Amino acid sequence: MKKVSLLAVLIIGALVSLFPFYWAAIGATNTSGSMFSKPPTLIPGSMLMENIRNLDESIGISRVMFNSLFIATTYTILALFICTMAAYAFAKFQFPGRNVIFTIFLLSMMVPYHATIIPLFKMMAALNWLNTYQAVILPNLAYPFAIFLMRQNLLAFPTSLIEAARIDGAGEWKIFFRIVLPSMKPALAATAIFLFLYQWNSFLWPLIALSTTDMYTFPVALSTLFGLSRIDYGQVMAGVTIATIPIIIFFLLLQRQFISGMLGSAVK
Amino acid sequence: MRSKTLVPYMFVAPAVILFSIFMAYPIIYSFILSFQSGQGSNMEFTGLDNFARLFSDDIFITALKNTFILLIIQVPIMIFLALIIANLLNSALLKFKGVFRVSFFLPAVTSLVAYSIIFSIMLMNDGVVNQFITAIGLDSIPWLSDPFWAKASLIIAMTWRWVGYNMVIFLAGLQNIPDELYEAASMDGASKIRQFFSITIPNLKPVILFTVILSTIGTLQLFDEPFVLTKGGPSDATLTIGMYLYQTGFRFFDFGYASTIAYVIVILIAIMTFIQFKVTGDQE
């Protein structure tokens, strides 16, 4: 009996959690007005292709998709590399200034992103970099949370292995790339997913830094679509669905690493 | 030997250089800007004028109030729900744990813009939520056009997005609580609810503090959801400090005053974090 009610509560909760996704997908396949019809339309319609065509006319799907993918992928690779290197130094070396630098990184996590955007905007304007990919990619490459996450994981790497490699005459870079990194794959994967999602979903800075439709990322393009005075809801829902599906697939494929990565960050 | 001592600096250098240019420098520069006034590049030092202006700025006071109302109501609801769901999911009886965990977590991976749009469409006057409400015989609710309900809409949307995220953090914490504690409590005849309040919550205290601090920082910076879902309205009822900062900086290009507002957020986060550490620290 208890088990049944427990299950019922969880099923209702899960339905509430999943319904908006379902609703967006249904909306993407129906006409703009059907989202407000009585009774509500709860089954797929036949408008998907037309909605996608309209959306493509409004925002250029392939272009914004490319922008988002390019920015998020480049960012993830560079940030993962930079943050892991720093994390390795913090975890495995004693050097003057180590604690000070690490503390500054940690403290900066408390500073809201908002406190940096105006100087960043001025800086990018002075460099003539507004509305470029690098304006979006560069600012958060040294992401303190990723450094923290990788450091926690690297602390567990046996120092004796590094020392043994040094005695064998291996150079520091070789040790890092050939010995340390290969054994950190799960942690690297978790951090990579984290960085990718962060950049893929990021909105405020791209909204400020990007100004023409051909440079927009998906979230920025969607928000402009939704700000119009006459909104085509079918088209908007198609956009929302297209922006969400890759992330859900990405997440479902890698959810084990992702959740374990998050767990690692919370407990340590 | 000299090269040896340089090794760790080689590894931290890229991060330190990028951090200094794109993080440390802007943080400091924005602090200096917060004492300046003017348009574009014609800035002049005006001391504490901007900070004085805050107190007589009704829109800022409204934004501050709104942000705190959201913070005080949304964070406890969300944390409590996440605790309960984590606790239910952790129960040994349950099958399909993985399916439920993924279902609850899925909202946390969606883009803030995308989910805000979905909620905005669902909550419109003749939207699907009101249709369900009227179908069960209740009056439809003016979700986005009434000041009270607009705040409620934001709270509901944010709770939907973040409960799963916090739940996963709690699930990790729950695994560190020894089973013997629950077994002993069961033998003493303590009910599940009693066990939740006298074993689970006290043992999770550090993890709860961690999530409360993260959520507080997030809420004080809130921007995407009100920007898309309610556009700050109706009549500024959901205008947040983050949104006001954006408007001041990038609609009116008043960089000095916008930086002052940014620093208000910095100060508030520092104070709230300090209080939260104090409150939980003293009880240990």
Side-chain angles (χ1 to χ4, degrees):
Chain A
M1 193 53 218
K2 247 187 182 165
K3 206 170 153 184
V4 174
S5 56
L6 170 70
L7 209 58
V9 170
L10 285 172
I11 288 173
I12 293 169
L15 286 178
V16 171
S17 221
L18 296 177
F19 181 76
F21 294 110
Y22 180 73
W23 185 243
I26 292 298
T29 65
N30 281 298
T31 59
S32 191
S34 74
M35 259 151 275
F36 311 103
S37 65
K38 286 177 196 178
T41 316
L42 290 171
I43 49 164
S46 56
M47 293 288 289
L48 180 63
M49 280 310 156
E50 193 175 333
N51 285 334
I52 292 179
R53 218 174 301 129
N54 291 338
L55 178 72
D56 193 39
E57 256 167 51
S58 309
I59 63 169
I61 300 175
S62 47
R63 179 71 199 188
V64 288
M65 189 61 110
F66 171 80
N67 291 342
S68 268
L69 272 175
F70 178 77
I71 289 173
T73 310
T74 314
Y75 171 81
T76 303
I77 295 167
L78 292 175
L80 187 64
F81 193 64
I82 289 162
C83 294
T84 306
M85 272 175 39
Y88 178 62
F90 289 130
K92 292 296 169 199
F93 289 93
Q94 292 289 339
F95 58 96
R98 184 185 76 162
N99 293 339
V100 177
I101 302 173
F102 189 63
T103 309
I104 291 175
F105 276 131
L106 285 188
L107 279 178
S108 78
M109 290 203 280
M110 307 277 297
V111 180
Y113 198 56
H114 301 68
T116 64
I117 52 176
I118 286 162
L120 277 179
F121 179 79
K122 293 185 113 181
M123 192 192 291
M124 295 302 171
L127 289 166
N128 237 338
W129 277 359
L130 284 175
N131 210 29
T132 63
Y133 291 129
Q134 65 265 33
V136 182
I137 293 169
L138 282 172
N140 234 347
L141 278 180
Y143 193 23
F145 187 66
I147 295 174
F148 175 72
L149 206 63
M150 280 313 298
R151 175 184 169 269
Q152 298 306 98
N153 284 295
L154 281 162
L155 283 176
F157 186 86
T159 310
S160 55
L161 273 181
I162 301 173
E163 276 158 6
R166 270 191 204 127
I167 292 165
D168 289 346
E172 294 295 336
W173 294 110
K174 196 174 170 188
I175 294 173
F176 180 66
F177 284 108
R178 296 278 179 78
I179 298 170
V180 179
L181 284 192
S183 72
M184 299 308 291
K185 272 183 194 148
L188 287 168
T191 311
I193 301 166
F194 191 86
L195 290 166
F196 186 88
L197 278 179
Y198 163 78
Q199 187 60 264
W200 177 271
N201 290 335
S202 133
F203 177 59
L204 178 57
W205 176 242
L207 177 74
I208 293 165
L210 304 172
S211 51
T212 58
T213 45
D214 63 319
M215 291 301 292
Y216 281 167
T217 58
F218 224 119
V220 178
L222 280 178
S223 79
T224 59
L225 205 57
F226 197 60
L228 299 174
S229 51
R230 275 185 52 204
I231 301 167
D232 174 354
Y233 294 100
Q235 173 185 332
V236 169
M237 284 304 215
V240 167
T241 308
I242 294 173
T244 309
I245 286 174
I247 279 301
I248 290 184
I249 294 172
F250 183 67
F251 169 72
L252 290 178
L253 290 176
L254 296 166
Q255 52 125 339
R256 201 155 288 176
Q257 282 92 325
F258 187 80
I259 289 181
S260 72
M262 270 196 50
L263 299 185
S265 71
V267 178
K268 283 165 190 163
Chain B
M1 255 347 260
R2 209 179 135 261
S3 66
K4 265 268 155 59
T5 59
L6 283 178
V7 169
Y9 296 105
M10 276 168 16
F11 279 100
V12 288
V16 169
I17 292 168
L18 285 163
F19 181 87
S20 310
I21 300 173
F22 296 110
M23 202 84 140
Y25 166 74
I27 289 172
I28 295 164
Y29 186 35
S30 145
F31 183 70
I32 296 167
L33 272 177
S34 71
F35 298 101
Q36 296 184 341
S37 288
Q39 290 280 317
S41 52
N42 295 322
M43 303 295 288
E44 60 177 78
F45 192 75
T46 52
L48 290 169
D49 279 7
N50 285 336
F51 287 91
R53 182 174 158 194
L54 288 172
F55 292 102
S56 54
D57 181 347
D58 289 340
I59 306 178
F60 171 75
I61 306 276
T62 306
L64 189 69
K65 265 190 212 152
N66 291 341
T67 307
F68 268 89
I69 291 173
L70 292 173
L71 181 73
I72 290 164
I73 298 175
Q74 198 265 336
V75 174
I77 292 179
M78 173 185 66
I79 299 287
F80 195 66
L81 270 179
L83 269 170
I84 291 175
I85 298 174
N87 206 41
L88 293 182
L89 275 190
N90 204 39
S91 111
L93 307 161
L94 195 69
K95 280 180 185 171
F96 313 116
K97 263 185 210 173
V99 177
F100 281 118
R101 199 174 60 180
V102 170
S103 309
F104 285 113
F105 190 73
L106 216 46
V109 300
T110 54
S111 116
L112 299 174
V113 171
Y115 99 84
S116 303
I117 290 177
I118 300 176
F119 269 79
S120 162
I121 295 176
M122 292 198 332
L123 292 172
M124 281 176 183
N125 272 338
D126 38 7
V128 68
V129 173
N130 270 343
Q131 297 205 23
F132 278 127
I133 290 175
T134 47
I136 56 169
L138 299 169
D139 287 338
S140 70
I141 293 170
W143 291 106
L144 302 171
S145 52
D146 173 84
F148 172 83
W149 289 109
K151 284 195 189 77
S153 302
L154 263 187
I155 290 172
I156 291 169
M158 288 160 70
T159 305
W160 178 83
R161 171 67 161 68
W162 293 103
V163 159
Y165 182 88
N166 290 293
M167 172 204 78
V168 169
I169 298 177
F170 291 145
L171 275 174
L174 285 174
Q175 281 155 21
N176 292 344
I177 303 176
D179 288 338
E180 293 84 58
L181 283 179
Y182 291 105
E183 282 158 18
S186 294
M187 280 205 280
D188 291 345
S191 69
K192 287 277 177 210
I193 293 171
R194 181 76 200 278
Q195 290 178 27
F196 177 70
F197 284 103
S198 35
I199 299 176
T200 311
I201 291 188
N203 276 287
L204 278 183
K205 217 196 261 171
V207 186
I208 295 174
L209 176 68
F210 173 80
T211 56
V212 170
I213 290 175
L214 278 189
S215 312
T216 303
I217 294 177
T219 311
L220 287 173
Q221 302 182 58
L222 192 66
F223 172 78
D224 301 21
E225 289 96 331
F227 184 83
V228 177
L229 182 67
T230 54
K231 301 184 175 61
S235 48
D236 290 342
T238 54
L239 185 78
T240 58
I241 315 179
M243 261 189 94
Y244 189 48
L245 180 148
Y246 171 80
Q247 289 181 357
T248 313
F250 297 97
R251 229 169 262 165
F252 307 119
F253 293 97
D254 190 344
F255 287 158
Y257 193 46
S259 299
T260 314
I261 298 170
Y263 264 85
V264 171
I265 303 179
V266 175
I267 295 164
L268 286 176
I269 288 177
I271 295 174
M272 297 298 288
T273 309
F274 178 77
I275 292 174
Q276 282 156 5
F277 267 115
K278 264 272 174 249
V279 168
T280 32
D282 281 353
Q283 292 168 351
E284 302 258 316

